[in-house]
Amino acid sequence: FNLNGADNVTLSSMSLTGSYDGLYLENIDGVTLANLDVYGSGLHGLYVHPSSTNTTITGGAYHDNAHSGIDVRGGSTTITGVEAYNNDNYGIYYYDYGASEVNRWAVISNNTIYGNNTYGLSAYTRASSQYNVSVLVSDNTFYDNYRSAASLRAYYSPVDDWFGMVVTGNNATQS
């Protein structure tokens, strides 16, 4: 299912399965995905192209996909209250591509991420303080992800009360 060039879209309470990317978002400003069940995709359950912004993903499950449950390659994103599990690589993958626009951000919070074959969460930010990009990873629950619960990287040091990534209140267990 591809969405390209649509703005201010809401998809709610749907199941998506069996395509290359369960849902592919490109050139979109303002999309809300609420309580989706996305599974069985040939690559990503959800892929958000770097050209998309202001994405809100809340509730629902992203599971049993060939690569990642959720893969976001841009900024201005909120991922909260989702379950991401049993994906062949990542439960949730976020990478801001060194965002060159001011005030791009991500919030990844209150998610349950488990049973993924690489990392539960992989989050990277390459932006510097001049672009004011921040990533908040908070209050997530991780368990039984094969390699580790999370891989988190901020490539630039904090400057003048700006932090590329803030990590707080997460709970991780491995059995």
Side-chain angles (χ1 to χ4, degrees):
F1 187 98
N2 295 332
L3 283 177
N4 188 337
D7 292 338
N8 302 312
V9 173
T10 297
L11 299 176
S12 179
S13 303
M14 306 172 54
S15 291
L16 300 171
T17 188
S19 63
Y20 187 68
D21 289 308
L23 182 56
Y24 186 97
L25 305 178
E26 186 173 9
N27 296 313
I28 293 178
D29 182 15
V31 64
T32 299
L33 307 174
N35 302 310
L36 301 184
D37 185 18
V38 184
Y39 61 97
S41 298
L43 193 59
H44 309 99
L46 167 64
Y47 181 83
V48 181
H49 188 271
S51 63
S52 294
T53 190
N54 296 316
T55 303
T56 301
I57 305 158
T58 182
Y62 297 80
H63 60 98
D64 299 295
N65 297 291
H67 190 270
S68 56
I70 297 172
D71 189 318
V72 177
R73 304 294 176 115
S76 304
T77 300
T78 299
I79 304 169
T80 186
V82 306
E83 283 189 275
Y85 61 93
N86 295 342
N87 297 290
D88 284 349
N89 281 317
Y90 307 102
I92 298 173
Y93 182 91
Y94 174 84
Y95 183 42
D96 70 19
Y97 270 98
S100 60
E101 296 177 29
V102 175
N103 294 322
R104 291 177 62 112
W105 46 266
V107 174
I108 302 167
S109 68
N110 296 304
N111 300 295
T112 303
I113 305 167
Y114 60 94
N116 299 288
N117 283 336
T118 305
Y119 297 111
L121 169 65
S122 184
Y124 303 96
T125 180
R126 296 186 63 85
S128 65
S129 62
Q130 81 184 79
Y131 297 120
N132 195 28
V133 175
S134 294
V135 177
L136 172 63
V137 178
S138 69
D139 303 310
N140 297 290
T141 300
F142 303 93
Y143 61 93
D144 295 339
N145 294 288
Y146 181 73
R147 183 170 290 169
S148 76
S151 172
L152 308 171
R153 296 182 198 171
Y155 286 90
Y156 293 96
S157 299
V159 177
D160 299 326
D161 296 325
W162 169 86
F163 296 89
M165 186 175 296
V166 176
V167 180
T168 182
N170 297 286
N171 182 14
T173 57
Q174 292 291 111
S175 59

